[in-house]
Amino acid sequence: MLRKSLQRLAGLGLAGLLALPGIAAAQAAPAQSWPTKPVTLVVPFPPGGSTDVLARLFAAKLGERLGQSVVVENRPGANTGIGAAAVARAAPDGYTLMITGAPTFTTNSLLYPNLGYDPIKSYEYVAIAGSAPFVILTNTQSGLATVNDLVTKSKNDPLSFGSFGTASTPHLAGEYLAQRSGAKLLHVPYRGSAPAMTDLIGNQIPLSIDTLVAALPQMRAGKVRAVALTSAARSALVPDVPTVNESGVAGYDFITWYGIAAPSGTPQPVVDKLSVQVREMLADPQMLEKMRELGFDPFYADSKAFRTRVEQELERNAAVIKAAGVKVD
């Protein structure tokens, strides 16, 4: 009896082993046949913003490579929460993707309860597809020119800095600068870049932190001056502007990046195929030139590196928010 049982178990084990190639083939099948219909790329922002601009560029190029249309769908609201939650609930079949900025993954869960999604558990990370630095700006009347100037001057008289909103990435970048450099900075939130820029030019505030894309026209017109970039490396758009790191705050790096994700459970072969497509797109000289024209720095990170970055920035941002006492209404 024992011998027959062992033979039966051995037979089952052999059957399982024989089935493995079939399982592997079934898992590979989605990537070989996908996509067979248009793919939706959700942007959790209104049309016209930086993420939307990048999404439309990527959708056109990705559609060409995949042989199917990639349709951009704007789902704004709740600090990207509406679109992000919709993607988290979507069928994990590779036909719903999302491209969004870093705060969707690395800030929102630290500030907003009942998001409707979990930045770690709700998605399969495809790739980081680009980045954009922020720039610390001053005006021609402030007397500030360098990071050391603002650290020194603020010790006796705290300096105000504007951003396009409470808990925005520029806000956290300013708080992180204060925490790392010893500067005394007071945040002034605005409803968007335009009013903050107006007050900076009019010397209502001595500093602001904004996207390089938004700041470039005023910089070129001589109305504002760049103190430093918040990125780890200089930008080809403004090669003469130093970074905060170069300016004496070692290890400082606070950028926004743009990640492509799919609903959790999307087949890994599909995720891998998408990630490879993004990597190859970012190796195309014409694509790189177009991204730089639009103010983006080409930046690729694969699925694993994407997840690692999210985990690290969640930890960093949690510390910055706690130390600064950042809260949202």
Side-chain angles (χ1 to χ4, degrees), residues 187-208:
H187 179 241
V188 181
Y190 287 84
R191 292 183 178 275
S193 294
M197 187 67 73
T198 297
D199 274 8
L200 178 67
I201 293 170
N203 200 32
Q204 301 301 308
I205 51 173
L207 296 166
S208 75

Side-chain angles (χ1 to χ4, degrees), residues 68-157:
Q68 288 286 347
S69 298
V70 178
V71 181
V72 173
E73 180 180 315
N74 297 92
R75 297 286 296 271
N79 293 289
T80 75
I82 290 176
V87 172
R89 295 190 302 266
D93 55 9
Y95 291 97
T96 301
L97 308 173
M98 173 175 67
I99 183 167
T100 187
T104 301
F105 302 102
T106 65
T107 305
N108 284 358
S109 64
L110 303 173
L111 295 165
Y112 303 99
N114 306 315
L115 271 181
Y117 71 91
D118 183 298
I120 299 295
K121 299 177 182 178
S122 294
Y123 306 105
E124 303 294 343
Y125 295 137
V126 174
I128 293 177
S131 66
F134 296 104
V135 59
I136 301 171
L137 300 165
T138 189
N139 54 54
T140 57
Q141 305 167 62
S142 71
L144 303 169
T146 66
V147 170
N148 186 60
D149 287 345
L150 69 89
V151 172
T152 301
K153 187 171 182 179
S154 70
K155 285 183 177 179
N156 296 321
D157 186 14

Side-chain angles (χ1 to χ4, degrees), residues 305-316:
F306 186 172
R307 185 169 294 275
T308 298
R309 191 172 188 100
V310 168
E311 291 169 347
Q312 291 174 342
E313 291 193 9
L314 272 169
E315 183 177 357
R316 178 200 65 189

Side-chain angles (χ1 to χ4, degrees), residues 35-72:
T36 59
K37 61 182 182 180
V39 175
T40 297
L41 181 60
V42 173
V43 179
F45 293 94
S50 60
T51 308
D52 181 68
V53 169
L54 187 62
R56 293 179 188 280
L57 173 63
F58 268 79
K61 296 295 183 182
L62 188 59
E64 291 173 4
R65 299 181 68 88
L66 295 176
Q68 288 286 347
S69 298
V70 178
V71 181
V72 173

